């Protein structure tokens, strides 16, 4: 299904595990600018499925920080913690079509499997699921995880910034988790179900998520959902040259005064390769960047054809 220009719908989907920082503002600003440059709708979705790590206070703080920047959701914020039944019905349909299966392996079972296999593994390959439970037909019940059957598919996709991409999902991650053994819904499932439910046409988010895209494309295909146009934005690196993140102690965005907020937006715009705004307030700066964004990124009107080669 081809999203059409007139119904552009984009989103910013933070996980409320802490405040916005300079890195997450880049993704927020880019997705907002792209929506405005397409005269589209911009939504904020709170990805609070990982309930032990998320908090309402952090979510409210993020919304206040966004609001200080002038980035306001065009529709009410969708909270993933309220979407249990939508996720349950998506996994039921995957179970019905034999695209998902119950799994009793723990992380250490998987690591032990690879240690015993004698296979020479690349970085992170000891977390690739080897498919141990794929043919066991275990009854899905509390305490077991649910995995998506990936197969030997190479997913090809086009990123507006990164260009042509491909991933052999089976070799890179293997059958991935849809529901964790502790009962929490996995990000991959929730994001796919909600992007479709919200009618999203364009996904603009940080480059750290680019390698999740092929998994999400496979899930979209299995659930009969439309595909989107993707753009992954540059990351802000910390002193150790690692991506700035809450885990490595990124500073909360300082939005205590309009001047500080404008400074933060200017820094995010620089990362996005946009010119400095000669503006005294956030609203004028944003209006300036919408035009600059339009010149920098041609309008993306329809999804690239997706190829999956088995
Ligand atoms: N909730 C994810 C995060 O904060 C982003 C999800 C997405 O944009 O697809 O990293």
């Amino acid at each position: 299904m081809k999203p059409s220009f007139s119904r552009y719908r984009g989103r910013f989907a933070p996980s409320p595990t802490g405040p916005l920082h300079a890195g997450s503002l880049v993704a927020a600003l880019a997705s907002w600018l792209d929506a405005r440059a397409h005269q589209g709708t911009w939504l904020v979705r709170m990805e609070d499925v990982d309930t032990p790590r998320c908090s309402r206070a952090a979510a409210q703080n993020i919304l206040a920080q966004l609001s200080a920047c002038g980035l306001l959701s065009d529709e009410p914020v969708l909270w993933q913690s309220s979407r249990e039944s939508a996720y349950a019905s998506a996994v039921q349909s995957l179970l019905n079509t034999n695209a998902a299966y119950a799994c009793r392996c723990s992380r250490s079972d998987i690591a032990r499997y690879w240690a015993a296999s004698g296979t020479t593994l690349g970085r992170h390959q000891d977390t690739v699921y080897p498919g141990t439970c794929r043919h066991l037909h275990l009854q899905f019940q509390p305490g077991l995880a649910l995995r998506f059957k990936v197969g030997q598919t190479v997913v090809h996709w086009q990123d507006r910034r990164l260009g042509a991409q491909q991933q052999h999902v089976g070799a890179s991650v293997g059958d991935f988790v849809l529901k964790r053994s502790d009962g929490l819904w996995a990000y991959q499932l929730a994001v796919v179900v909600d992007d479709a439910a919200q009618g999203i046409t364009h996904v603009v988010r940080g480059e750290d998520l680019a390698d999740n895209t092929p998994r999400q494309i496979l899930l979209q295909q299995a659930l009969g959902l439309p595909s989107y146009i993707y753009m992954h934005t540059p990351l802000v690196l910390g002193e150790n040259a690692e991506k700035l993140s809450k885990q490595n102690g990124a500073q909360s965005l300082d939005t205590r005064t309009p001047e500080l907020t404008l400074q933060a937006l200017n820094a995010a715009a620089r990362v996005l390769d946009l010119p400095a705004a000669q503006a005294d307030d956030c609203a004028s700066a944003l209006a300036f960047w919408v035009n600059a964004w339009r010149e920098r990124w041609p309008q993306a009107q329809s999804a690239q054809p997706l190829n999956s080669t088995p």
Side-chain angles (χ1 to χ4, degrees):
M1 190 198 293
K2 281 190 175 181
S4 75
F5 173 68
S6 58
R7 32 173 304 269
Y8 180 115
R9 287 170 71 82
R11 81 321 187 259
F12 175 56
S15 303
T17 54
L20 275 191
H21 53 74
S24 34
L25 181 62
V26 171
L29 177 62
S31 61
W32 187 90
L33 289 174
D34 200 47
R36 287 295 174 265
H38 285 83
Q39 281 126 24
T41 302
W42 185 73
L43 308 175
V44 174
R45 181 171 71 229
M46 276 300 159
E47 301 217 317
D48 56 347
V49 269
D50 190 352
T51 39
R53 293 181 57 235
C54 295
S55 79
R56 274 274 156 165
Q60 296 302 353
N61 189 26
I62 289 174
L63 293 174
Q65 290 175 303
L66 287 172
S67 161
C69 293
L71 307 177
L72 296 170
S73 184
D74 293 323
E75 291 176 10
V77 173
L78 183 72
W79 298 76
Q80 288 194 324
S81 51
S82 70
R83 300 274 301 146
E84 170 80 27
S85 61
Y87 307 145
S89 98
V91 297
Q92 193 52 55
S93 100
L94 294 170
L95 283 166
N96 293 347
T97 53
N98 201 23
Y101 62 90
C103 168
R104 63 183 174 206
C105 298
S106 63
R107 268 184 213 191
S108 46
D109 290 334
I110 299 168
R112 257 197 308 278
Y113 169 92
W114 287 116
S117 75
T119 315
T120 313
L121 296 170
R123 207 163 156 249
H124 302 312
Q125 271 190 305
D126 61 347
T127 59
V128 174
Y129 187 60
T132 318
C133 293
R134 193 183 302 139
H135 304 293
L136 297 184
H137 305 291
L138 300 171
Q139 181 68 32
F140 182 48
Q141 53 181 286
L144 297 191
L146 197 67
R147 286 182 185 272
F148 179 73
K149 238 184 240 176
V150 164
Q152 293 306 307
T153 307
V154 179
V155 178
H156 298 260
W157 56 284
Q158 188 69 26
D159 186 276
R160 282 164 66 201
R161 177 175 154 262
L162 302 173
Q165 306 286 307
Q166 66 172 59
Q167 188 187 66
H168 187 303
V169 184
S172 309
V173 278
D175 295 346
F176 56 88
V177 171
L178 301 169
K179 189 170 193 184
R180 298 170 13 174
S181 59
D182 58 8
L184 295 181
W185 299 105
Y187 157 65
Q188 309 294 351
L189 177 83
V191 80
V192 164
V193 170
D194 288 342
D195 279 340
Q198 294 193 287
I200 298 302
T201 57
H202 293 63
V203 171
V204 177
R205 60 185 177 192
E207 194 176 325
D208 54 321
L209 292 164
D211 72 345
N212 290 257
T213 304
R215 272 172 271 176
Q216 293 167 18
I217 288 171
L218 287 180
L219 263 181
Q220 287 156 7
Q221 290 173 344
L223 289 165
L225 300 173
S227 50
Y228 313 119
I229 299 171
Y230 288 95
M231 176 191 267
H232 289 85
T233 56
L235 302 180
V236 178
L237 302 181
E239 277 164 20
N240 52 4
E242 278 186 12
K243 179 205 140 194
L244 209 58
S245 69
K246 292 160 204 159
Q247 289 75 21
N248 66 17
Q251 296 268 314
S252 169
L253 209 66
D254 195 341
T255 53
R256 279 172 304 173
T257 66
E259 292 72 26
L260 287 169
T261 309
L262 187 53
Q263 254 175 44
L265 278 171
N266 259 308
R270 249 194 320 277
V271 175
L272 293 168
D273 209 14
L274 296 172
Q278 306 301 325
D280 296 331
D281 59 84
C282 294
S284 321
L286 290 173
F288 169 81
W289 287 319
V290 170
N291 285 323
W293 184 270
R294 236 185 234 123
E295 280 169 29
R296 175 93 182 70
W297 298 106
Q299 300 210 334
Q301 301 196 20
S302 62
Q304 301 293 327
L306 291 170
N307 280 319
S308 298
T309 47

